[in-house]
Amino acid sequence: MFIVPITPMEKMEFSTTEKVTAVKDVKENAFSSILDSAIENFKEADKLSDIDGAGLSLGNADDLAQIQINMLKAETMLQTTVQITSRAVNAYKEIMQIQV
């Protein structure tokens, strides 16, 4: 009969809160950076659209097609930003309704 000696157990460290917090920060930063970049892109397109609109109203417009393209870009970026925000809010609401 062979008897195996008992080996001491190693201490287990449960620091999941730190890991979860780190992962949470990375995910929040990723989403917030995407949303921030979308907002910044919209602001730039909106400024360009406003400048083009002012130039058109003053009669300083050279390329009407480019002015229309810039205005449509600004409108599309605004719609995209609104959709991203509303979908994020809806996802948050669904998560909050989950019963644990």
Side-chain angles (χ1 to χ4, degrees), residues 7-49:
T7 57
M9 291 180 58
E10 295 180 15
K11 181 180 178 185
M12 298 177 71
E13 294 182 20
F14 296 102
S15 60
T16 57
T17 55
E18 293 173 4
K19 291 179 185 176
V20 169
T21 308
V23 170
K24 182 180 170 186
D25 290 341
V26 169
K27 288 183 180 180
E28 285 178 358
N29 289 337
F31 177 74
S32 66
S33 66
I34 290 170
L35 191 59
D36 287 341
S37 67
I39 291 171
E40 288 301 317
N41 289 339
F42 166 70
K43 285 180 181 179
E44 291 174 10
D46 192 43
K47 282 182 186 178
L48 184 59
S49 175

Side-chain angles (χ1 to χ4, degrees), residues 37-53 67 69-78:
S37 67
I39 291 171
E40 288 301 317
N41 289 339
F42 166 70
K43 285 180 181 179
E44 291 174 10
D46 192 43
K47 282 182 186 178
L48 184 59
S49 175
D50 288 343
I51 291 170
D52 287 344
I67 293 172
I69 289 170
N70 290 339
M71 289 186 181
L72 289 174
K73 278 184 184 178
E75 181 182 351
T76 304
M77 287 183 181
L78 176 63

Side-chain angles (χ1 to χ4, degrees), residues 3 16-18 31 36 38 41-42 62-63 68 80 86 89 93:
I3 299 177
T16 57
T17 55
E18 293 173 4
F31 177 74
D36 287 341
N41 289 339
F42 166 70
D62 293 335
D63 190 7
Q68 187 175 7
T80 303
S86 66
V89 169
K93 286 180 181 178

